């Protein structure tokens, strides 16, 4: 089944994520990044306990909530989903740059890539789902104005399929982040 606007939605999502990542890199390099980003990392890290199933659940639920919010925000004309995706890119770009300067690029990549192989596509999928949800909202409004038909429910079902894939990808991402990434990082310290 063809999903209306899928290619365009993927392109918008990837570009938004990349712009956020570049912005995170740029702001860190130029010392313009707000200090509360580090505080936010520290707040989240207080709950992070490697090798604990409760940490896997915490990471998974946190990421699923982010994915669902990104999708639901898409119904508000696309832009909020793209901003959310860009912010996630910003956090990753900032984190990689911060860790590269504090430790090394190898350390930064070792801290992101093992679970990022699953988590980053999950974020892109949820951003794409949000964009598709926004397309569906726009099509519904245009259908009402033009006396045409478009089912918002159908559009929601189409976009939610991507959300389901995203949620599934977050399971191995959380397990790897908690049980494997800390072991890999030990090699770089």
């Amino acid at each position: 089944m063809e999903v209306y606007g899928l290619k365009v939605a993927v392109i918008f999502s990837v570009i938004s994520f990349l712009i956020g990542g570049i912005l995170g890199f740029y702001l860190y390099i130029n010392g313009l990044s707000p200090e509360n980003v580090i505080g936010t990392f520290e707040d989240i890290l207080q709950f992070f306990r490697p090798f604990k199933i409760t940490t896997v659940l915490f990471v998974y639920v946190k990421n699923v909530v982010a994915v669902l919010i990104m999708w639901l925000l898409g119904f508000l004309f696309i832009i909020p989903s793209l901003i959310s995706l860009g912010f996630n890119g910003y956090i990753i770009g900032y984190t990689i740059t911060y860790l590269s300067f504090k430790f090394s690029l190898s350390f930064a990549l070792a801290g992101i890539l093992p679970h990022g192989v699953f988590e980053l596509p999950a974020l892109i999928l949820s951003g794409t789902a949000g964009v598709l949800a926004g397309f569906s909202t726009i099509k519904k409004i245009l259908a009402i104005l033009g006396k045409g038909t478009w089912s918002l429910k159908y559009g929601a079902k189409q976009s939610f399929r991507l959300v389901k894939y995203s949620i599934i990808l977050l399971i191995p991402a959380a397990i790897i982040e908690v049980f494997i990434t800390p072991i890999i990082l030990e090699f770089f310290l």
Side-chain angles (χ1 to χ4, degrees):
M1 174 177 16
E2 176 67 24
V3 177
Y4 174 79
L6 181 60
K7 290 177 185 175
V8 173
V10 170
I11 291 168
F12 280 2
S13 297
V14 170
I15 289 172
S16 177
F17 184 80
L18 291 175
I19 288 172
I22 292 166
L23 189 62
F25 168 79
Y26 176 80
L27 292 178
Y28 182 86
I29 293 295
N30 290 293
L32 301 172
S33 190
E35 287 300 319
N36 63 358
V37 171
I38 297 293
T40 302
F41 290 150
E42 290 170 353
D43 290 344
I44 291 172
L45 286 177
Q46 75 179 341
F47 297 104
F48 191 88
R49 301 287 180 260
F51 315 114
K52 302 252 185 219
I53 195 69
T54 53
T55 305
V56 171
L57 291 173
F58 170 76
V59 168
Y60 179 71
V61 168
K62 176 186 71 66
N63 288 335
V64 167
V65 167
V67 160
L68 290 173
I69 288 172
M70 201 177 314
W71 173 63
L72 291 170
L73 287 175
F75 285 101
L76 301 173
F77 304 110
I78 303 167
I79 301 300
S81 277
L82 294 176
I83 290 171
S84 179
L85 192 55
F87 182 72
N88 279 284
Y90 166 82
I91 294 295
I92 291 170
Y94 184 93
T95 302
I96 288 173
T97 309
Y98 171 78
L99 292 174
S100 294
F101 280 95
K102 186 164 181 158
F103 300 101
S104 70
L105 179 58
S106 298
F107 181 86
L109 293 177
I112 299 287
L113 288 180
H115 63 279
V117 168
F118 296 97
E119 191 171 324
L120 298 179
L123 288 173
I124 299 295
L125 279 175
S126 63
T128 300
V131 172
L132 289 174
F135 286 168
S136 186
T137 299
I138 292 168
K139 282 188 77 167
K140 181 64 176 180
I141 291 169
L142 292 174
I144 291 169
L145 294 175
K147 308 266 191 252
T149 60
W150 175 256
S151 170
L152 192 58
K153 184 177 177 181
Y154 174 75
K157 282 183 180 180
Q158 282 188 319
S159 62
F160 190 72
R161 286 184 9 214
L162 295 178
V163 173
K164 288 190 287 188
Y165 295 132
S166 182
I167 289 170
I168 291 167
L169 283 170
L170 290 173
I171 295 168
I175 293 167
I176 291 168
E177 185 171 354
V178 174
F179 288 104
I180 296 173
T181 300
I183 294 169
I184 293 171
L185 286 176
E186 288 293 321
F187 291 109
F188 292 93
L189 288 178

